[in-house]
């Protein structure tokens, strides 16, 4: 266990909540203080082996989050079925629990060397809509406790170049969950939709398509269309078409804020998958406001000229008021930066005048 136990609650974010580590149960919908009470995992949960009825999944294009790794699961209520949709986020029955655990591999070059688990986030379907909560693991990895006001956890890992890295990892506050998951008010799941789920996964007997596997388990209300009729994102760092890889990267890393109605709606920079072509992707687009967020440059994207593109400056930045995506993540994504730089450099040059 490499993670040293140093937990600093960020009292400044919520003075009222500072006296206790965990949130008092909110409203008439109290959730257990301990993750083990949900019965999601075998044993303590330290190995993230799901309990019976908890189905693991992966997404086609992942959200970069300060070099953490993720474990994702779905638990439907007894007899519950998912309302399938080819485009929109799927419709889940009341009682569904969506689970995402954040961990740090000891060595990014070799996952078999183990990991430290940090937090397990839940999105829970209630009668009135979805709720988002998170549980912070203790250093011994025997239990996780609910935190609503965020936390800072010291983490360590060895990076792809073999260097030891450290970070005061930020657990988001419940309010921060909503910035990304609740662009239009209510909390909503983000990746539980066909284009993110239509990919291969190994459930123990070789790679099979996740949606086909879920259909076999009887998880959908209708039979999904054949694989060839399902939309899908591509792996941003694979070998496919550059434009499709960039749109897939945007969809997972930017679109939850940058869409019509999202937290960054007013910027006019809309980066959801449906946006094709330059109009909303920022080509020769001036930002609506002056300030540090412009990096003293004029346009979000100057075709052929990544160095003079605000998008590249902001994606490369680790300065809180400038960096994109916004907090709670703190580090820039080197692979994403390289992808967007390549994409802008490959555009036919245009000085936007
Ligand atoms: C910076 C934006 C951001 C913040 C903040 C954030 N999430 Fe998410 N979350 C995402 C994105 C994007 C996905 C889907 C992509 C993925 O799984 O990698 C996701 C996926 C999830 C999932 C899996 C189901 C789904 O929606 O696809 C859960 C559960 C979850 N988040 C819970 C939370 C909770 C609880 C919080 C607050 C403690 C939180 N998230 C904060 C962006 C965010
Ligand atoms: C958690 C929400 C959030 C996420 C995720 C996010 N952004 Fe932003 N972004 C904003 C907000 C809010 C603004 C407007 C205020 C500002 O400029 O800081 C903005 C502004 C920008 C701007 C300036 C654009 C303009 O015309 O004003 C660029 C460029 C940008 N974002 C790029 C990105 C990219 C690329 C990603 C994904 C890699 C991303 N952002 C992810 C919230 C977000």
């Amino acid at each position: 266990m490499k993670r040293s136990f140093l937990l600093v609650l960020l009292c400044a974010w919520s003075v009222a909540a500072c006296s206790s580590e965990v949130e008092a149960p909110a409203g008439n919908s109290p959730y257990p203080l301990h993750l083990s009470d949900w019965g999601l995992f075998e044993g303590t949960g330290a190995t993230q082996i799901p309990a019976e009825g908890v189905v693991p999944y992966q997404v086609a294009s992942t959200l970069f989050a300060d070099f953490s790794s993720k474990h994702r699961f779905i638990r439907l209520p007894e007899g519950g079925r998912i309302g399938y949709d080819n485009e929109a986020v799927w419709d889940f029955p009341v009682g569904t629990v969506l689970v995402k655990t954040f961990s740090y591999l000891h060595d990014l070059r070799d996952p078999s060397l183990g990991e430290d688990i940090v937090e397990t986030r839940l999105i829970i379907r209630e009668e009135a809509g979805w709720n988002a909560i998170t549980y912070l693991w203790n250093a011994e990895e025997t239990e996780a406790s609910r935190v609503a006001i965020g936390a800072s956890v010291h983490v360590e890992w060895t990076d792809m170049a073999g260097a030891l890295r450290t970070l005061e990892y930020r657990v988001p506050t419940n309010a921060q969950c909503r910035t990304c998951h609740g662009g239009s008010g209510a909390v909503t799941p983000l990746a539980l939709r066909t284009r993110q789920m239509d990919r291969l996964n190994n459930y123990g007997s070789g790679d099979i398509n996740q949606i086909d596997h879920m259909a076999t388990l009887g998880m959908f209300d209708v039979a999904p269309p054949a694989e060839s009729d399902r939309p899908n994102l591509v792996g941003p760092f694979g070998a496919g078409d550059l434009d499709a890889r960039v749109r897939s990267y945007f969809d997972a890393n930017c679109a939850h804020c940058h869409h019509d109605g999202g937290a960054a709606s007013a910027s006019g920079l809309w980066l959801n998958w449906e946006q094709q072509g330059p109009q909303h992707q920022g080509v020769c687009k001036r930002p609506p406001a002056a300030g540090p967020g412009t990096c003293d440059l004029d346009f979000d994207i100057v075709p052929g000229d990544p160095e003079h593109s605000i998008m590249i400056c902001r994606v490369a930045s680790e300065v809180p008021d400038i960096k994109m995506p916004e907090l709670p993540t703190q580090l820039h994504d080197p692979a994403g930066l390289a992808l967007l730089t390549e994409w802008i450099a490959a555009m036919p040059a245009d000085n936007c005048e």
Side-chain angles (χ1 to χ4, degrees), residues 226-238:
E227 192 180 342
S228 54
D229 293 329
R230 302 197 292 245
N232 62 313
L233 300 183
V234 299
F237 310 113

Side-chain angles (χ1 to χ4, degrees), residues 57 59 61-64 70 72-73 98-100 102 119-123 131-134 147 171-174 176-181 188-192 196 251-253 256-257 325-329:
Y57 71 93
V59 295
S61 176
T62 64
L63 170 67
F64 172 82
K70 326 271 178 66
R72 302 175 180 82
F73 309 90
L98 306 176
V99 186
K100 188 169 162 190
F102 286 65
E119 60 163 325
T120 295
R121 302 181 184 177
L122 305 185
I123 300 188
N131 284 336
I133 57 173
T134 194
V147 282
V171 175
T173 63
N174 279 3
Q176 283 172 321
C177 311
R178 285 172 183 274
T179 311
C180 297
H181 284 275
T188 157
L190 290 169
L192 274 306
Q196 271 285 30
D251 199 61
N253 286 276
H256 39 280
C257 295
E326 293 185 304
L327 293 174
T329 53

Side-chain angles (χ1 to χ4, degrees), residues 253-254 256-258 264 267 269 285 287-288 300 314-315 324-326:
N253 286 276
C254 321
H256 39 280
C257 295
H258 286 275
S267 70
L269 184 65
K285 176 191 167 309
D300 287 348
R314 296 196 65 166
V315 167
M324 278 295 145
E326 293 185 304

Side-chain angles (χ1 to χ4, degrees), residues 52-240:
E52 174 133 12
V54 179
V55 180
Y57 71 93
Q58 296 181 29
V59 295
S61 176
T62 64
L63 170 67
F64 172 82
D66 288 350
F67 299 99
S68 59
S69 295
K70 326 271 178 66
H71 300 270
R72 302 175 180 82
F73 309 90
I74 301 168
R75 185 174 72 188
L76 294 178
E78 191 75 37
R81 297 210 195 297
I82 301 169
Y84 181 85
D85 195 293
N86 231 18
E87 304 295 335
V89 172
W90 296 338
D91 189 18
F92 285 86
V94 170
T96 299
V97 184
L98 306 176
V99 186
K100 188 169 162 190
T101 294
F102 286 65
S103 65
Y104 276 83
L105 292 176
H106 292 162
D107 189 333
L108 293 184
R109 299 166 304 178
D110 184 359
S112 74
L113 294 176
E115 63 179 358
D116 294 331
I117 46 177
V118 181
E119 60 163 325
T120 295
R121 302 181 184 177
L122 305 185
I123 300 188
I124 307 133
R125 181 74 166 91
E126 303 286 2
E127 287 286 351
W130 293 94
N131 284 336
I133 57 173
T134 194
Y135 289 84
L136 182 62
W137 284 85
N138 61 14
E140 300 77 30
E141 300 187 359
T142 52
E143 184 60 281
S145 302
R146 185 154 51 78
V147 282
I149 58 165
S152 172
V153 182
H154 182 79
V155 293
E156 295 180 5
W157 71 97
T158 298
D159 71 14
M160 292 304 281
L164 182 67
R165 304 276 301 266
T166 66
L167 176 73
E168 304 311 311
Y169 172 91
R170 296 266 182 93
V171 175
T173 63
N174 279 3
Q176 283 172 321
C177 311
R178 285 172 183 274
T179 311
C180 297
H181 284 275
S184 44
V187 168
T188 157
L190 290 169
L192 274 306
R193 60 200 307 162
T194 300
R195 67 183 182 229
Q196 271 285 30
M197 297 294 284
D198 192 45
R199 58 158 286 166
L200 298 175
N201 198 352
N202 188 338
Y203 288 93
S205 41
D207 279 348
I208 57 166
N209 183 287
Q210 266 183 175
I211 292 181
D212 292 338
H213 175 71
M214 291 172 65
T216 309
L217 295 179
M219 293 175 75
F220 296 114
D221 60 343
V222 293
E227 192 180 342
S228 54
D229 293 329
R230 302 197 292 245
N232 62 313
L233 300 183
V234 299
F237 310 113

